[in-house]
Amino acid sequence: MTARAQAIRPRGLTRTEVAQVLLRGTALIALAVMVVVFGALSPTFLQLTNLEILAKQTAINAILAIGMTFVILTGGIDLSVGSIVGLTAMIAGLLINEGLQIGALGVIVYPHTWMVMVIALVAGALVGAINGLIITRFSVAPFIATLGMLYVARGAAGLLNNGNTFPNLVGRPELGNTGFAELGAGELLGVSWAIWIMGALALVAWFVTSLTPFGRAVYAVGGNQRSAELSGIRVDRTKLVVYMISGLCAATVGLIIASQLVAAHPATGEFFELNAIAAVVLGGTSLSGGRGTIVGTMIGAFVIGVLTVGLNQLGVSSFWQLIVKGSVIVLALVLDQLQVRVQRRIALQQQAHADVAPAPAG
Amino acid sequence: MNPEPQVTTPTAPGPDPDVVMRAEGVTKVFPGTTALDDVTLDVHRAMVNVLIGENGAGKSTLMKILAGVEQPTSGRVLLDGEEVRLASRLDAARLGIGIIYQELNLCPNLSVVDNIFLAREVAPRGVIDRRRQRAHARSLIERLEQRIDPDTQVGMLRVGQQQIVEIARALAEDVRVLIMDEPTSALSAAETEVLFRIIRDLKAHGVTIIYISHKLDELLGIGDRITVLRDGRMVAHADAGDVDVSWIIGQMVGRDPSALFTRTDHPIGEIRLRVRDVTLPRVGGGFLLDHVSFDLHAGEILGIYGLMGAGRTELLECLAGVRPESTGEVRLDGLRLDEADVADRIEAGIVLVPEDRQSDGLVPTLSVAHNMLLASLKRYLRRFWLVPEWERQAVERYIGDLSIRVSSADQPISSLSGGNQQKVVVAKGLMTAPRILLLDEPTRGIDVGAKSEIFQIMSRLAEGGYGIVFVSSELKEVMAMSDRVLVLSKGAIAAQFERDQVTEEHLVAASAAGYLRAAAAPAPGSALAAVGVAR
C-alpha cells in the first residue's frame, strides 16, 4: 500500500465521501423520481409558479428541520418546536395588536415591527435555552424535557389571548408598527422572503456544521460525549446552544406563518415537530447522533414538500397522503439501513484482506 | 522479523475419525481488529481440548464461532468431516454443540429452572410442564453436587452459583461437544473439583470438551490436547503430557518481551508539574485518592503502578480536570490550575490520553482526521472558521510522525486497527502542543508492533522535554520505560522508586501495601474458597 503518499487527498472526492453521497442517495433518488412522476401526471406541477408554491411550503418545514438537525446531531431531540412556533406567533401578534403594557402605570408601548420580530426571535431562543438548561443541568432526557415544553409553550400561547386569535396584524401607521405582512407576502427578485430565509439559514447552517469548531463539537458530542469532553469540548454549552438554535428557527417559522396569515392563532404549528424530525431523518441523519448533514436535511424537507404538493395536485385524499408519507419515510430508512449493512460488510472484508496480507513495513 | 513459531500443521484434509470438529482457515474481522487470522483447529473426540492464549489472542472469538454465536468472515467449520453452517446459536445447539460462556449469560430476573430451560422449554402442546422441568433441573443440580433451590431467582445467587447454573444449562442440552470458556473463574476450589469430576465423567461418555482457562496448572491437570493462540493466530499444538507450564508461557508470549522497549537516555530538567495533596472522595466514604503529592520534571517519564482500583486512572483524571470534585493543588510551570476545566487545562498544556479508547478516546462517527483535530480546533481558526488547508497540513504531519497507517485521513476511525486507533488518540493529544502528557494504559489491547511504536514515541517526546505521566498495569512496561515509578495503593502513594532501584518484587509488595494494612477481614470470595476446601 502506498499509504503515506496518498494519506490525504487535497481536493476532490475521497472514497468515503462518494460512499456518503451514495448513502444519502436514497432520499435524493426518491426526490428525483417523485419530481418526474408528478411532472408526468400533472401538467401544472413543473410550472414555475407551482414550484415557487412548493418551495414556499417547504420553507416552513425546512427551517424547523435545520434547527432540528443541530439537536439531533448531538444525539438529542426537540419535540417543542411546533409549540414554540405557536408561542412566538402569538407573541408577535400580541405586540402588534396590543403592545407591551409596562407596569401598573398603564403605559402601553408599541414596538416597531423589526423590534417585534427581534423580541419573538429572542423569545424562541429563550425557550430553547430553558430546554437546554433542563437537559444539561438536571440531566433530564431530551425527549422528556422537550415533551414537557411542548405542553407548556402551547399552553402559554393560549394564555396570551385566552385561546383567541390575534387577527389582522397590520399595525397602525401612527404607531409605526405597520408592514408585518411584508415578511409573509413580500418578495425579493420575484422570490418570497420565506424562500430567501430558508436558503440563507441553510447556507449558514451548512457553514457552521462543516467549518466551525462549534459544528465539529456538535458532531463530536453526538458521536461520543465522553470523548468529546476529554478533548476539551464544553459539552453542556454545546447542547445548550443547539436547543437555542432550534428555538430560534422555530421562532422564525412562527413569524413567517403569522405574517403570511396576517393573524396569530395559538394552535399554529401543531405537529410541525414531527414533520421536521421526518425531514431530518429522511436526509440521512442518525437519531443516535453524530452522523448527518444539512444538505441531507434540505433534501429530506423537499421530499416531504414534493410529496405533499404533488399528491394534493393529483387530488389524492388526505388520508392516503398520510399513508404514503409515512411509508416513504420508513421505506427510505429501510433502504438506508440495507446499504449501511452491505457497506460495513465490504469494509470488513477489505480490512480482512489488508490485515491477512500486510504490506511490507516502510 | 520474529522467529518462526513452531506450528504443527494439522493433519492433511480428509475426515480423521478422531477429529469431531474442525475449524478450517477461520478468519474473523471486527471493525478495527482482526480477531482471528486463518486459524485451523482440530477438536479431538472425547478429549479435553485446551485452548490457551493471552487476552485478545482470539480464544473466545473462536469459541463463539464454533458455537454459532459469531460467524467467521472467511473459513469454514466441519463437524464429523462435513461442512456445517452455524448461522445462529440454535443451529449449533441442534447439532449438539453446547457452550458455557465466559461472561454469565443468564437472565437474573428469572428462576434457576427458567434459565436452564430458556428457549427449549419442556412444553408439550405449548404449555410449559413446570413439574418436569423442575425435576430435571433438580437432578442436574444434584449431579453438580450443589444445593440450589431451582425456584430461586438467578439474580439472588452468588456468582459461583450462577456459574453452576450456567453449567447445568449446558448439561441440560444433550451435547456432543461442550465448550467451556473460563468456567472456573468464579468457582471455589471445591466447586472446581466437582466440575473436573463432571468433565471426566462426560469424557467417559464420549462427550468432547473444549476448555479455555487462564489457570495454567489447572489446564495441565484436566487437558489432553493443548493449542496455543497468539494475536489471532494458532502458534502451537501439543499433547498435554509432552509439555509443561514454561513451554506454554513461552508459546503464549512469543518474542522476548524486553525487545519491545526503546529508551534513550535524556537529561531531566526543571520541575514542570507540581501536584500537592490531590484528594478525591469516594461516594459512601473514604478516598479514591488520598492526598497524593509529587513533582514531574521536564523530560521525565513518571511511571504509575498499582493494582486495579488503586486510583491510577482517577489520578490522571484529576490532573486532566475531569473530576471537578477533587481537591488539592496542581501547578504547571507555576500556574495554578485547581479550578480549571478540561478545556482550560488543555490550553495550559496538560492533556490526557485516556485508557479506554473506544469509550473515552475516540468519536466513532468521525473520520480519522476529525478525531485527530478534535482537541486542537482553535489552532486552525481564521476569525470564526476552520481553514481546511491548515487542518490538512497538521493531520498529514502527525500521520507521518506517528506512522499511522491509513489509506486516507478521511476514512472512518472504526476501520483502523487497535494500534492505529491508539496512535490517533495519542496524535490528538500531541496536536494540542502539550507540555505534560498523561498516558493511561497506552498499550492496552494493541499488538506488539504497535506497542513498541508507542514506546518509541514516548521516549522521543521525553527527549523533546515533555513531562510524561505513564500509567500501566504491566510490570515490565513500567520498569522499562519509567525514570521514576510511583506505586499507588488504595488511593495513596505507597512507595516511590528511582529507575535503578526498581524491581518487580518491590512494585508488587508496595502495590499491596494499602490492602495489607486494611485487611482486617479477608475478602468474601477467599473465605468461601477456604470453607470449600475444608469441606
Side-chain angles (χ1 to χ4, degrees):
Chain A
M1 243 187 292
T2 53
R4 198 74 51 75
Q6 47 163 287
I8 294 189
R9 287 176 225 178
R11 266 186 197 88
L13 288 177
T14 63
R15 209 178 314 158
T16 28
E17 277 169 350
V18 172
Q20 272 173 345
V21 170
L22 283 178
L23 275 182
R24 228 187 272 145
T26 43
L28 197 59
I29 292 163
L31 185 60
V33 168
M34 282 190 294
V35 170
V36 170
V37 169
F38 288 130
L41 292 178
S42 158
T44 51
F45 183 79
L46 286 174
Q47 280 172 8
L48 216 54
T49 45
N50 188 53
L51 290 181
E52 209 210 329
I53 292 171
L54 175 95
K56 212 166 146 182
Q57 288 201 3
T58 302
I60 302 292
N61 190 25
I63 292 170
L64 289 177
I66 288 167
M68 188 70 78
T69 306
F70 281 92
V71 173
I72 292 181
L73 278 177
T74 65
I77 191 100
D78 189 351
L79 299 178
S80 66
V81 290
S83 297
I84 298 177
V85 169
L87 178 62
T88 49
M90 287 299 284
I91 287 173
L94 176 79
L95 291 176
I96 290 171
N97 280 12
E98 302 190 354
L100 258 181
Q101 281 195 327
I102 298 204
L105 298 170
V107 179
I108 298 174
V109 178
Y110 287 91
H112 285 296
T113 311
W114 66 267
M115 277 178 71
V116 169
M117 293 188 185
V118 170
I119 292 170
L121 291 174
V122 169
L126 267 178
V127 177
I130 295 170
N131 279 334
L133 285 173
I134 291 172
I135 288 160
T136 54
R137 292 272 173 269
F138 303 106
S139 311
V140 176
F143 189 96
I144 304 298
T146 58
L147 180 67
M149 187 57 81
L150 178 149
Y151 292 113
V152 172
R154 184 65 69 197
L159 282 177
L160 285 179
N161 200 18
N162 290 321
N164 297 318
T165 305
F166 285 115
N168 201 24
L169 302 179
V170 289
R172 273 175 283 172
E174 67 268 28
L175 298 173
N177 62 355
T178 54
F180 182 64
E182 175 70 10
L183 177 67
E187 292 182 344
L188 178 68
L189 306 174
V191 177
S192 298
W193 278 115
I195 298 172
W196 283 110
I197 292 170
M198 168 180 71
L201 283 178
L203 209 63
V204 171
W206 172 80
F207 187 80
V208 168
T209 50
S210 49
L211 282 176
T212 66
F214 170 73
R216 215 57 76 68
V218 167
Y219 281 97
V221 168
N224 184 348
Q225 182 168 327
R226 166 96 182 146
S227 161
E229 187 187 343
L230 287 174
S231 302
I233 283 166
R234 292 184 163 113
V235 173
D236 283 359
R237 196 180 297 176
T238 307
K239 285 188 180 173
L240 180 66
V241 173
V242 296
Y243 287 96
M244 289 176 71
I245 292 174
S246 182
L248 199 67
C249 288
T252 309
V253 169
L255 288 172
I256 292 175
I257 292 182
S259 168
Q260 280 174 348
L261 301 173
V262 206
H265 188 268
T268 304
E270 272 178 347
F271 302 120
F272 278 21
E273 58 279 340
L274 299 181
N275 277 328
I277 293 169
V280 174
V281 171
L282 263 179
T285 296
S286 154
L287 273 181
S288 52
R291 255 189 261 264
T293 58
I294 292 292
V295 176
T297 294
M298 295 304 289
I299 293 171
F302 271 94
V303 167
I304 293 177
V306 166
L307 209 54
T308 311
V309 171
L311 291 175
N312 258 336
Q313 280 186 349
L314 294 182
V316 176
S317 95
S318 63
F319 305 120
W320 275 112
Q321 284 191 28
L322 289 177
I323 291 172
V324 171
K325 205 151 102 182
S327 312
V328 165
I329 290 168
V330 174
L331 193 70
L333 288 186
V334 168
L335 288 178
D336 239 24
Q337 284 303 314
L338 278 180
Q339 262 172 313
V340 168
R341 207 175 303 164
V342 168
Q343 229 184 2
R344 195 176 298 152
R345 195 171 312 146
I346 293 169
L348 282 182
Q349 267 158 7
Q350 280 171 348
Q351 192 189 327
H353 288 302
D355 284 8
V356 169
Chain B
M1 291 308 284
N2 43 341
E4 196 60 32
Q6 303 176 6
V7 181
T8 32
T9 339
T11 37
D16 175 348
D18 282 347
V19 174
V20 60
M21 206 174 179
R22 178 180 163 96
E24 202 171 83
V26 166
T27 295
K28 176 70 185 179
V29 181
F30 291 111
T33 47
T34 301
L36 291 173
D37 183 357
D38 193 20
V39 169
T40 296
L41 171 76
D42 280 337
V43 180
H44 295 264
R45 192 183 303 278
M47 286 195 180
V48 177
N49 298 265
V50 166
L51 200 60
I52 188 162
E54 286 192 294
N55 285 331
K59 307 175 300 260
S60 295
T61 308
L62 183 55
M63 292 309 99
K64 284 182 176 163
I65 286 172
L66 292 184
V69 179
E70 300 269 6
Q71 281 66 50
T73 313
S74 63
R76 56 187 196 145
V77 176
L78 294 99
L79 193 65
D80 288 327
E82 279 177 43
E83 184 171 350
V84 284
R85 228 179 78 79
L86 306 174
S88 72
R89 178 72 203 92
L90 214 57
D91 283 0
R94 278 199 202 102
L95 293 169
I97 302 162
I99 184 167
I100 299 167
Y101 297 98
Q102 183 175 7
E103 317 89 39
L104 292 169
N105 272 271
L106 301 168
C107 303
N109 56 331
L110 299 180
S111 73
V112 171
V113 185
D114 290 344
N115 267 289
I116 289 177
F117 292 99
L118 196 62
R120 47 168 183 277
E121 287 80 3
V122 182
R125 291 188 298 277
V127 181
I128 292 178
D129 185 343
R130 287 178 163 274
R131 193 175 307 165
R132 258 172 64 193
Q133 280 198 358
R134 193 174 296 126
H136 194 174
R138 191 165 285 133
S139 74
L140 285 170
I141 294 166
E142 269 164 22
R143 188 172 169 200
L144 290 163
E145 298 173 36
Q146 294 295 315
R147 257 175 290 161
I148 302 170
D149 178 1
D151 291 319
T152 323
Q153 254 193 26
V154 162
M156 311 291 284
L157 300 174
R158 66 185 172 80
V159 178
Q161 290 177 315
Q162 293 189 15
Q163 187 72 63
I164 298 283
V165 174
E166 183 90 55
I167 294 166
R169 180 157 89 168
L171 295 179
E173 298 177 54
D174 214 4
V175 291
R176 291 202 290 160
V177 178
L178 180 56
I179 300 167
M180 299 183 165
D181 195 350
E182 302 220 31
T184 58
S185 53
L187 297 188
S188 71
E191 288 163 340
T192 304
E193 260 320 299
V194 174
L195 178 66
F196 282 6
R197 271 208 299 281
I198 289 167
I199 288 177
R200 293 194 187 99
D201 182 44
L202 288 170
K203 217 167 79 172
H205 284 88
V207 176
T208 306
I209 311 282
I210 306 177
Y211 192 90
I212 298 180
S213 175
H214 278 300
K215 301 179 183 169
L216 299 185
D217 35 358
E218 177 183 302
L219 292 177
L220 289 174
I222 191 74
D224 298 310
R225 303 278 305 165
I226 305 231
T227 303
V228 184
L229 283 182
R230 188 203 311 150
D231 296 330
R233 287 163 214 244
M234 203 200 90
V235 292
H237 195 70
D239 276 328
D242 300 342
V243 300
D244 58 9
V245 170
S246 68
W247 178 87
I248 296 178
I249 293 176
Q251 294 300 329
M252 279 169 63
V253 178
R255 68 172 83 178
D256 176 13
S258 64
L260 272 173
F261 308 110
T262 34
R263 239 191 79 91
T264 46
D265 277 314
H266 45 266
I268 291 187
E270 313 249 288
I271 293 180
R272 303 217 77 162
L273 187 71
R274 269 171 64 100
V275 177
R276 289 292 175 270
D277 292 324
V278 165
T279 300
L280 186 67
R282 181 196 296 274
V283 182
F287 296 108
L288 287 167
L289 285 176
D290 187 359
H291 297 88
V292 174
S293 304
F294 64 88
D295 293 326
L296 177 69
H297 300 74
E300 184 179 34
I301 299 180
L302 177 66
I304 299 207
Y305 181 75
L307 300 172
M308 291 269 279
R312 300 167 305 177
T313 297
E314 290 78 4
L315 176 59
L316 294 201
E317 285 180 352
C318 287
L319 298 180
V322 192
R323 299 274 195 157
E325 70 272 30
S326 68
T327 56
E329 191 185 312
V330 177
R331 276 176 195 270
L332 175 61
D333 293 335
L335 180 72
R336 279 194 73 149
L337 292 173
D338 315 347
E339 299 295 314
D341 66 4
V342 183
D344 292 333
R345 291 192 199 210
I346 287 177
E347 190 94 337
I350 301 188
V351 70
L352 169 67
V353 175
E355 172 180 1
D356 187 334
R357 42 172 191 278
Q358 299 303 339
S359 79
D360 302 344
L362 297 170
V363 180
T365 49
L366 294 181
S367 67
V368 171
H370 284 190
N371 266 293
M372 288 172 72
L373 295 162
L374 196 57
S376 52
L377 289 169
K378 280 184 192 154
R379 300 182 167 266
Y380 323 106
L381 218 49
R382 183 191 283 148
R383 290 172 203 274
F384 300 113
W385 58 89
L386 296 161
V387 183
E389 179 62 20
W390 297 350
E391 292 188 315
R392 189 181 64 77
Q393 282 168 358
V395 167
E396 223 165 30
R397 201 183 118 209
Y398 278 89
I399 284 179
D401 274 7
L402 305 189
S403 31
I404 302 172
R405 276 175 282 279
V406 290
S407 53
S408 151
D410 297 317
Q411 81 188 77
I413 189 74
S414 53
S415 64
L416 265 54
S417 72
N420 278 307
Q421 290 185 356
Q422 184 65 10
K423 284 194 254 176
V424 168
V425 182
V426 172
K428 178 173 76 170
L430 295 181
M431 288 168 85
T432 65
R435 287 178 277 182
I436 307 292
L437 198 60
L438 310 172
L439 298 171
D440 196 354
E441 300 271 7
T443 60
R444 167 159 298 177
I446 64 180
D447 62 59
V448 260
K451 270 186 194 171
S452 132
E453 281 180 311
I454 294 278
F455 292 136
Q456 277 174 30
I457 294 164
M458 278 172 64
S459 42
R460 227 169 56 213
L461 293 172
E463 242 177 300
Y466 285 83
I468 296 177
V469 183
F470 163 56
V471 163
S472 174
S473 42
E474 289 194 31
L475 285 165
K476 289 203 170 56
E477 277 187 22
V478 179
M479 290 173 50
M481 292 306 298
S482 311
D483 294 302
R484 194 155 52 103
V485 182
L486 292 182
V487 182
L488 280 181
S489 186
K490 285 225 150 176
I493 294 184
Q496 191 181 140
F497 301 102
E498 292 299 323
R499 178 171 178 71
D500 43 7
Q501 308 164 342
V502 62
T503 66
E504 291 196 21
E505 290 76 17
H506 282 154
L507 290 179
V508 171
S511 63
Y515 296 88
L516 295 180
R517 262 185 275 123
S526 58
L528 282 167
V531 171
V533 171
R535 222 174 20 181

